[in-house]
Amino acid sequence: MPLSSVSTRLTLLALFSATTFYCIYKSRRLRNLKLNLSLNPNPNTNTKLNLPKILFISETGTSKSLANRLHRFLSLNDVAFEIIDGRSYEPEDLPKETILLIVASTWEDGKPPPAYRFFADWLAESSEDFRVGSLLLSKCRFAVFGVGSRGYGETFNAVGKEIVKRMKALGGAEMIPLFEGDVDGGDVDEVFDKWCVKVVELLKGGGGEDGGDLENGEEECGVLSSDEEESDDEEEEEVESDIVDLEDIAGKAPSRKSVATVAETNGKLNGGKKQMVTPVIRANLVKQGYKIIGSHSGVKICRWTKSQLRGRGGCYKHSFYGIESHRCMEATPSLACANKCVFCWRHHTNPVAKSWQWEMDDPLEIVNSAIEQHTNMIKQMKGVPGVTLERLNEGFTPRHCALSLVGEPIMYPEINALVDELHRRRISTFLVTNAQFPEKIKSLKPITQLYVSVDAGTKDSLKAIDRPLFGDFWERFIDSLTALKEKHQRTVYRLTLVKGWNAEEVDAYYNLFSIGEPDFIEIKGVTYCGS
Ligand SMILES: Cc1cc2nc3c(=O)[nH]c(=O)nc-3n(C[C@H](O)[C@H](O)[C@H](O)COP(=O)(O)O)c2cc1C
Ligand code: SF4
């Protein structure tokens, strides 16, 4: 299809319109979810998924037994709940929960028992992931009862506290502040009974903490303790969830005003040379699940990798290009770049420069270390529901590397050697560059698929949205697109459309297509999901 044809222009227009409508639809849907909070505990009891849940985290049975007690107490008060073991719970279903009561014990080092780490890690990672947004659990009301021992000092009920913090960060509404039971202090039953009564008050009354009628008000949890029914039903119901493409979800969208001042925090001098990753940046990245390699590279396990390991869906590259997400490693050899794009989550802290000026690590070491760290992360998926030995073993041998994590990979002077090493190991590569280093694009050895970020259609928009360091950023951008045309390999324009910033310039984008003549054009939409 010639780029100049009328039908091409119409197709593009339709694509942009569809993207915009999709963004509006998504943001409206999320807003509606937030507004649609209801305390009705049984809004739709037709499906198991919609039944409110009691979830327990328990190693030696204390929390499980308390959870069963609560279950019985709720039944006596005509409130139907499903009780589930957190070990077999699918955290991806959390956004669909309306009411969740959690009874959680704390174990060594303030962590949950090992079998429950996946649940806890999922909450922690999701709440740190800027793409998930803070409305993910906006449908969910929750309350947590912590089971622990005060004798452990600072880590007393650390798990309960952590769950509350993470659920709130993801938009969950805490019905009742955390109640903490001290198993060694002897008050756990008493405190638990009080919590149960509060829960039922809220559910039956449907009002705030202080209001509401308590039917069977004289009934207390303790009455039930001698007559507990242990539920060993660990059946996991696989429910197809709406696949939410996290690449379509962004964190808080910065305004043009708020992004005017940006802190540039380059590394400190170390033996005469700067280290790109400062301790502050390192701590930030590690907190968000990144594994830092050496002094300027990083690797992170992608949520689609985890999803496909578990037999669920893969990312769009699986559908488009046949890449198996569970065998994909997401990495970058340069956490720094020469832009401060408004949609980049690290725009207040990422190292920026016009050229490489840091200590440099060996490409072979980077690849070795990336694969080692990646496979370590894959190992941690062992025992997670849905993960089979076969897929796990496949995951240990990555077949694809997405050099698109963060930063500008072609800033790394040894990028060709690094890509060679990946290809030598029969690992295909997708590399995304931000179109500010045309000479580097020219000298780049063939990548399996080479992407250029086309973040705007005009000079003014590009300046506003990418906030490039280079004064001649537009010339560099155009030269990069021109260089792409000469690459004689598979190439892609990646458009990241932000409503109100760069989504309306259809003709301008169209003009750019004829410069680089990419094989594919991928369009992503950024959606504001609240702070
Ligand atoms: C090895 C060990 C480590 C523990 N660490 C903590 C801790 O860090 N913080 C805490 O509050 N309780 C801690 N506890 C106390 C447990 O939370 C307590 O025994 C609880 O009853 C276990 O509940 P469960 O049977 O539901 O797993 C620990 C207990 C053991 C045996
Ligand atoms: S290509 Fe790899 S890193 Fe990128 S989204 Fe897909 S699975 Fe994740």
Side-chain angles (χ1 to χ4, degrees), residues 57-64 105-111 113 147-150 152 155-158 183-184:
I57 290 178
S58 184
E59 179 72 9
T60 45
T62 316
S63 307
K64 181 179 178 182
S105 68
T106 299
W107 279 76
E108 281 125 314
D109 304 324
K111 301 271 184 247
V147 179
S149 165
R150 212 174 281 280
Y152 287 89
T155 59
F156 175 52
N157 273 319
V183 287
D184 293 326

mmCIF file of all heavy atoms in Angstrom, residues 57-64 105-111 113 147-150 152 155-158 183-184, ligand 1:
data_model
loop_
_atom_site.group_PDB
_atom_site.id
_atom_site.type_symbol
_atom_site.label_atom_id
_atom_site.label_comp_id
_atom_site.label_asym_id
_atom_site.label_seq_id
_atom_site.Cartn_x
_atom_site.Cartn_y
_atom_site.Cartn_z
ATOM 1 N N ILE A 57 -3.543 -16.164 55.307
ATOM 2 C CA ILE A 57 -2.127 -16.449 55.087
ATOM 3 C C ILE A 57 -1.665 -17.137 56.357
ATOM 4 O O ILE A 57 -1.649 -16.522 57.427
ATOM 5 C CB ILE A 57 -1.352 -15.138 54.849
ATOM 6 C CG1 ILE A 57 -1.733 -14.564 53.487
ATOM 7 C CG2 ILE A 57 0.154 -15.347 54.984
ATOM 8 C CD1 ILE A 57 -1.078 -13.247 53.146
ATOM 9 N N SER A 58 -1.346 -18.416 56.267
ATOM 10 C CA SER A 58 -1.120 -19.167 57.494
ATOM 11 C C SER A 58 -0.159 -20.324 57.269
ATOM 12 O O SER A 58 -0.294 -21.066 56.301
ATOM 13 C CB SER A 58 -2.477 -19.702 57.983
ATOM 14 O OG SER A 58 -2.320 -20.348 59.217
ATOM 15 N N GLU A 59 0.796 -20.468 58.165
ATOM 16 C CA GLU A 59 1.757 -21.563 58.045
ATOM 17 C C GLU A 59 1.399 -22.699 59.005
ATOM 18 O O GLU A 59 1.388 -23.860 58.641
ATOM 19 C CB GLU A 59 3.170 -21.032 58.358
ATOM 20 C CG GLU A 59 4.271 -22.058 58.293
ATOM 21 C CD GLU A 59 4.598 -22.487 56.871
ATOM 22 O OE1 GLU A 59 4.094 -21.863 55.914
ATOM 23 O OE2 GLU A 59 5.344 -23.471 56.720
ATOM 24 N N THR A 60 1.103 -22.337 60.234
ATOM 25 C CA THR A 60 0.843 -23.382 61.226
ATOM 26 C C THR A 60 -0.620 -23.426 61.668
ATOM 27 O O THR A 60 -0.958 -24.071 62.659
ATOM 28 C CB THR A 60 1.766 -23.195 62.455
ATOM 29 O OG1 THR A 60 1.773 -21.809 62.819
ATOM 30 C CG2 THR A 60 3.173 -23.638 62.161
ATOM 31 N N GLY A 61 -1.462 -22.728 60.939
ATOM 32 C CA GLY A 61 -2.899 -22.908 61.138
ATOM 33 C C GLY A 61 -3.611 -21.882 62.000
ATOM 34 O O GLY A 61 -4.840 -21.868 62.047
ATOM 35 N N THR A 62 -2.868 -20.998 62.680
ATOM 36 C CA THR A 62 -3.551 -20.039 63.563
ATOM 37 C C THR A 62 -4.473 -19.122 62.755
ATOM 38 O O THR A 62 -5.670 -18.989 63.056
ATOM 39 C CB THR A 62 -2.514 -19.172 64.320
ATOM 40 O OG1 THR A 62 -1.478 -20.013 64.789
ATOM 41 C CG2 THR A 62 -3.152 -18.437 65.466
ATOM 42 N N SER A 63 -3.927 -18.509 61.733
ATOM 43 C CA SER A 63 -4.724 -17.559 60.940
ATOM 44 C C SER A 63 -5.830 -18.282 60.187
ATOM 45 O O SER A 63 -6.934 -17.753 60.022
ATOM 46 C CB SER A 63 -3.825 -16.824 59.942
ATOM 47 O OG SER A 63 -2.747 -16.259 60.609
ATOM 48 N N LYS A 64 -5.527 -19.479 59.746
ATOM 49 C CA LYS A 64 -6.535 -20.253 59.013
ATOM 50 C C LYS A 64 -7.729 -20.536 59.925
ATOM 51 O O LYS A 64 -8.887 -20.388 59.528
ATOM 52 C CB LYS A 64 -5.909 -21.565 58.531
ATOM 53 C CG LYS A 64 -6.846 -22.437 57.734
ATOM 54 C CD LYS A 64 -6.135 -23.696 57.279
ATOM 55 C CE LYS A 64 -7.089 -24.592 56.513
ATOM 56 N NZ LYS A 64 -6.440 -25.838 56.105
ATOM 57 N N SER A 105 -0.680 -13.984 58.852
ATOM 58 C CA SER A 105 0.370 -14.127 59.865
ATOM 59 C C SER A 105 1.706 -13.640 59.321
ATOM 60 O O SER A 105 1.924 -13.588 58.109
ATOM 61 C CB SER A 105 0.493 -15.587 60.308
ATOM 62 O OG SER A 105 1.001 -16.374 59.260
ATOM 63 N N THR A 106 2.580 -13.269 60.246
ATOM 64 C CA THR A 106 3.923 -12.813 59.888
ATOM 65 C C THR A 106 4.928 -13.856 60.348
ATOM 66 O O THR A 106 4.804 -14.397 61.444
ATOM 67 C CB THR A 106 4.232 -11.471 60.578
ATOM 68 O OG1 THR A 106 3.290 -10.503 60.120
ATOM 69 C CG2 THR A 106 5.643 -10.992 60.279
ATOM 70 N N TRP A 107 5.915 -14.112 59.491
ATOM 71 C CA TRP A 107 6.950 -15.086 59.844
ATOM 72 C C TRP A 107 8.333 -14.468 59.783
ATOM 73 O O TRP A 107 8.453 -13.240 59.904
ATOM 74 C CB TRP A 107 6.807 -16.347 58.960
ATOM 75 C CG TRP A 107 5.722 -17.238 59.525
ATOM 76 C CD1 TRP A 107 4.372 -17.044 59.423
ATOM 77 C CD2 TRP A 107 5.898 -18.388 60.356
ATOM 78 N NE1 TRP A 107 3.695 -18.003 60.122
ATOM 79 C CE2 TRP A 107 4.601 -18.855 60.705
ATOM 80 C CE3 TRP A 107 7.003 -19.086 60.829
ATOM 81 C CZ2 TRP A 107 4.401 -19.981 61.507
ATOM 82 C CZ3 TRP A 107 6.808 -20.214 61.618
ATOM 83 C CH2 TRP A 107 5.518 -20.647 61.956
ATOM 84 N N GLU A 108 9.345 -15.324 59.595
ATOM 85 C CA GLU A 108 10.732 -14.856 59.703
ATOM 86 C C GLU A 108 10.992 -13.564 58.937
ATOM 87 O O GLU A 108 10.511 -13.397 57.829
ATOM 88 C CB GLU A 108 11.705 -15.923 59.160
ATOM 89 C CG GLU A 108 11.966 -17.033 60.138
ATOM 90 C CD GLU A 108 11.672 -18.364 59.511
ATOM 91 O OE1 GLU A 108 10.603 -18.472 58.864
ATOM 92 O OE2 GLU A 108 12.508 -19.274 59.661
ATOM 93 N N ASP A 109 11.791 -12.712 59.559
ATOM 94 C CA ASP A 109 12.188 -11.427 58.971
ATOM 95 C C ASP A 109 10.991 -10.563 58.588
ATOM 96 O O ASP A 109 11.062 -9.758 57.662
ATOM 97 C CB ASP A 109 13.072 -11.639 57.721
ATOM 98 C CG ASP A 109 14.296 -12.472 58.038
ATOM 99 O OD1 ASP A 109 14.831 -12.304 59.148
ATOM 100 O OD2 ASP A 109 14.697 -13.285 57.188
ATOM 101 N N GLY A 110 9.892 -10.777 59.256
ATOM 102 C CA GLY A 110 8.719 -9.951 58.965
ATOM 103 C C GLY A 110 8.071 -10.282 57.637
ATOM 104 O O GLY A 110 7.327 -9.476 57.074
ATOM 105 N N LYS A 111 8.336 -11.471 57.110
ATOM 106 C CA LYS A 111 7.797 -11.869 55.800
ATOM 107 C C LYS A 111 6.643 -12.860 55.991
ATOM 108 O O LYS A 111 6.522 -13.488 57.041
ATOM 109 C CB LYS A 111 8.884 -12.558 54.964
ATOM 110 C CG LYS A 111 10.101 -11.701 54.722
ATOM 111 C CD LYS A 111 9.911 -10.893 53.464
ATOM 112 C CE LYS A 111 11.138 -10.084 53.121
ATOM 113 N NZ LYS A 111 10.971 -8.661 53.228
ATOM 114 N N PRO A 113 4.781 -16.538 55.209
ATOM 115 C CA PRO A 113 5.347 -17.869 54.963
ATOM 116 C C PRO A 113 5.681 -18.003 53.471
ATOM 117 O O PRO A 113 4.999 -17.403 52.630
ATOM 118 C CB PRO A 113 4.206 -18.824 55.347
ATOM 119 C CG PRO A 113 3.286 -18.023 56.204
ATOM 120 C CD PRO A 113 3.427 -16.599 55.794
ATOM 121 N N VAL A 147 -1.822 -11.451 62.384
ATOM 122 C CA VAL A 147 -1.538 -12.443 63.424
ATOM 123 C C VAL A 147 -0.023 -12.523 63.579
ATOM 124 O O VAL A 147 0.692 -12.851 62.636
ATOM 125 C CB VAL A 147 -2.099 -13.833 63.030
ATOM 126 C CG1 VAL A 147 -1.772 -14.868 64.107
ATOM 127 C CG2 VAL A 147 -3.598 -13.751 62.807
ATOM 128 N N GLY A 148 0.462 -12.191 64.773
ATOM 129 C CA GLY A 148 1.905 -12.211 64.977
ATOM 130 C C GLY A 148 2.240 -12.243 66.448
ATOM 131 O O GLY A 148 1.375 -12.503 67.290
ATOM 132 N N SER A 149 3.499 -12.003 66.713
ATOM 133 C CA SER A 149 3.935 -12.001 68.104
ATOM 134 C C SER A 149 4.740 -10.732 68.367
ATOM 135 O O SER A 149 5.696 -10.434 67.644
ATOM 136 C CB SER A 149 4.797 -13.240 68.365
ATOM 137 O OG SER A 149 5.496 -13.069 69.576
ATOM 138 N N ARG A 150 4.319 -10.008 69.415
ATOM 139 C CA ARG A 150 4.980 -8.743 69.753
ATOM 140 C C ARG A 150 6.450 -8.975 70.118
ATOM 141 O O ARG A 150 7.280 -8.081 70.010
ATOM 142 C CB ARG A 150 4.243 -8.080 70.923
ATOM 143 C CG ARG A 150 4.274 -6.570 70.875
ATOM 144 C CD ARG A 150 3.404 -5.965 71.963
ATOM 145 N NE ARG A 150 1.991 -5.975 71.645
ATOM 146 C CZ ARG A 150 1.397 -5.088 70.857
ATOM 147 N NH1 ARG A 150 2.100 -4.127 70.309
ATOM 148 N NH2 ARG A 150 0.105 -5.154 70.609
ATOM 149 N N TYR A 152 8.607 -10.232 68.493
ATOM 150 C CA TYR A 152 9.500 -10.016 67.349
ATOM 151 C C TYR A 152 9.788 -8.539 67.088
ATOM 152 O O TYR A 152 10.384 -8.176 66.080
ATOM 153 C CB TYR A 152 8.931 -10.692 66.096
ATOM 154 C CG TYR A 152 9.067 -12.201 66.170
ATOM 155 C CD1 TYR A 152 8.069 -12.975 66.741
ATOM 156 C CD2 TYR A 152 10.219 -12.834 65.718
ATOM 157 C CE1 TYR A 152 8.194 -14.355 66.845
ATOM 158 C CE2 TYR A 152 10.357 -14.211 65.819
ATOM 159 C CZ TYR A 152 9.349 -14.963 66.384
ATOM 160 O OH TYR A 152 9.494 -16.321 66.488
ATOM 161 N N THR A 155 9.208 -6.174 63.708
ATOM 162 C CA THR A 155 8.493 -6.875 62.631
ATOM 163 C C THR A 155 7.154 -7.433 63.112
ATOM 164 O O THR A 155 6.547 -8.253 62.425
ATOM 165 C CB THR A 155 9.348 -8.013 62.030
ATOM 166 O OG1 THR A 155 9.677 -8.925 63.074
ATOM 167 C CG2 THR A 155 10.592 -7.493 61.358
ATOM 168 N N PHE A 156 6.711 -6.976 64.287
ATOM 169 C CA PHE A 156 5.409 -7.420 64.779
ATOM 170 C C PHE A 156 4.343 -7.106 63.723
ATOM 171 O O PHE A 156 4.166 -5.961 63.316
ATOM 172 C CB PHE A 156 5.086 -6.715 66.110
ATOM 173 C CG PHE A 156 3.707 -7.017 66.644
ATOM 174 C CD1 PHE A 156 3.267 -8.329 66.792
ATOM 175 C CD2 PHE A 156 2.845 -5.985 67.009
ATOM 176 C CE1 PHE A 156 1.993 -8.615 67.293
ATOM 177 C CE2 PHE A 156 1.575 -6.257 67.513
ATOM 178 C CZ PHE A 156 1.152 -7.569 67.650
ATOM 179 N N ASN A 157 3.699 -8.134 63.269
ATOM 180 C CA ASN A 157 2.631 -8.011 62.269
ATOM 181 C C ASN A 157 3.030 -7.224 61.024
ATOM 182 O O ASN A 157 2.211 -6.514 60.427
ATOM 183 C CB ASN A 157 1.378 -7.398 62.902
ATOM 184 C CG ASN A 157 0.523 -8.484 63.517
ATOM 185 O OD1 ASN A 157 0.365 -9.551 62.927
ATOM 186 N ND2 ASN A 157 0.018 -8.249 64.707
ATOM 187 N N ALA A 158 4.289 -7.364 60.633
ATOM 188 C CA ALA A 158 4.774 -6.623 59.459
ATOM 189 C C ALA A 158 3.977 -6.979 58.202
ATOM 190 O O ALA A 158 3.733 -6.124 57.346
ATOM 191 C CB ALA A 158 6.256 -6.917 59.242
ATOM 192 N N VAL A 183 -0.154 -13.383 69.431
ATOM 193 C CA VAL A 183 -0.386 -14.762 69.873
ATOM 194 C C VAL A 183 0.312 -15.073 71.193
ATOM 195 O O VAL A 183 -0.165 -15.885 71.979
ATOM 196 C CB VAL A 183 0.052 -15.806 68.810
ATOM 197 C CG1 VAL A 183 -0.903 -15.843 67.653
ATOM 198 C CG2 VAL A 183 1.466 -15.583 68.335
ATOM 199 N N ASP A 184 1.440 -14.417 71.434
ATOM 200 C CA ASP A 184 2.151 -14.696 72.683
ATOM 201 C C ASP A 184 1.678 -13.803 73.828
ATOM 202 O O ASP A 184 1.910 -14.103 74.997
ATOM 203 C CB ASP A 184 3.665 -14.553 72.477
ATOM 204 C CG ASP A 184 4.171 -15.637 71.538
ATOM 205 O OD1 ASP A 184 3.616 -16.749 71.591
ATOM 206 O OD2 ASP A 184 5.070 -15.370 70.728
HETATM 207 C C1 LIG B 1 10.197 -18.676 63.047
HETATM 208 C C2 LIG B 1 9.119 -17.702 63.389
HETATM 209 C C3 LIG B 1 9.266 -16.372 63.035
HETATM 210 C C4 LIG B 1 8.272 -15.447 63.355
HETATM 211 N N1 LIG B 1 8.453 -14.127 63.019
HETATM 212 C C5 LIG B 1 7.497 -13.237 63.370
HETATM 213 C C6 LIG B 1 7.676 -11.852 63.073
HETATM 214 O O1 LIG B 1 8.673 -11.421 62.498
HETATM 215 N N2 LIG B 1 6.692 -10.984 63.425
HETATM 216 C C7 LIG B 1 5.562 -11.401 64.069
HETATM 217 O O2 LIG B 1 4.710 -10.556 64.354
HETATM 218 N N3 LIG B 1 5.373 -12.710 64.361
HETATM 219 C C8 LIG B 1 6.309 -13.630 64.045
HETATM 220 N N4 LIG B 1 6.135 -14.949 64.353
HETATM 221 C C9 LIG B 1 4.936 -15.368 65.088
HETATM 222 C C10 LIG B 1 3.882 -15.984 64.176
HETATM 223 O O3 LIG B 1 3.250 -15.005 63.431
HETATM 224 C C11 LIG B 1 2.880 -16.713 65.031
HETATM 225 O O4 LIG B 1 3.473 -17.903 65.467
HETATM 226 C C12 LIG B 1 1.572 -16.997 64.362
HETATM 227 O O5 LIG B 1 0.712 -17.610 65.266
HETATM 228 C C13 LIG B 1 1.695 -17.876 63.151
HETATM 229 O O6 LIG B 1 0.445 -17.936 62.541
HETATM 230 P P1 LIG B 1 0.063 -19.046 61.475
HETATM 231 O O7 LIG B 1 -0.027 -20.337 62.220
HETATM 232 O O8 LIG B 1 -1.248 -18.631 60.941
HETATM 233 O O9 LIG B 1 1.114 -19.073 60.450
HETATM 234 C C14 LIG B 1 7.110 -15.880 64.027
HETATM 235 C C15 LIG B 1 6.974 -17.226 64.374
HETATM 236 C C16 LIG B 1 7.959 -18.127 64.069
HETATM 237 C C17 LIG B 1 7.783 -19.560 64.482
#
